[in-house]
Amino acid sequence: KGKTMDVEDLFRQAVGRRLLRARHHAGRTQRALAEAVGCTREAIPMLERGKNLPGIAVLATLAARLGVRMGWLLGEEGEGQKT
């Protein structure tokens, strides 16, 4: 049997889906985003698949580079784009 998903797993996956959506909307590749944020190119797909959750500093940088609100990446309702 597979491991049941807990709240942390669901949260990581939700953040990953929003990160993926924001990256596609911004027209960025995983490699370009990794370079812009200063992380390894392997880190972005791991985040997008919900395998890892970024720290606050990385999350803030991701949001800034993608032009979205950090709260939106974390699940806030509404549009993600900064106004």
Side-chain angles (χ1 to χ4, degrees):
K1 278 188 170 178
K3 180 184 153 209
T4 59
M5 297 190 70
D6 62 16
V7 173
E8 277 187 45
D9 292 329
L10 295 172
F11 181 68
R12 280 194 308 270
Q13 288 184 358
V15 170
R17 282 191 301 273
R18 286 192 173 208
L19 178 59
L20 176 66
R21 195 159 95 191
R23 182 176 63 78
H24 283 169
H25 188 269
R28 296 264 189 137
T29 64
Q30 290 176 337
R31 182 183 302 258
L33 182 58
E35 289 173 3
V37 172
C39 64
T40 65
R41 65 182 178 88
E42 294 85 6
I44 300 300
M46 293 294 284
L47 294 172
E48 290 179 348
R49 287 195 309 266
K51 302 295 183 189
N52 292 328
L53 192 62
I56 293 296
V58 172
L59 190 67
T61 305
L62 285 166
R65 297 294 185 265
L66 294 171
V68 297
R69 293 178 293 106
M70 189 167 68
W72 181 81
L73 284 176
L74 292 172
E76 280 182 1
E77 294 294 321
E79 294 298 313
Q81 284 68 33
K82 291 181 181 176
T83 53

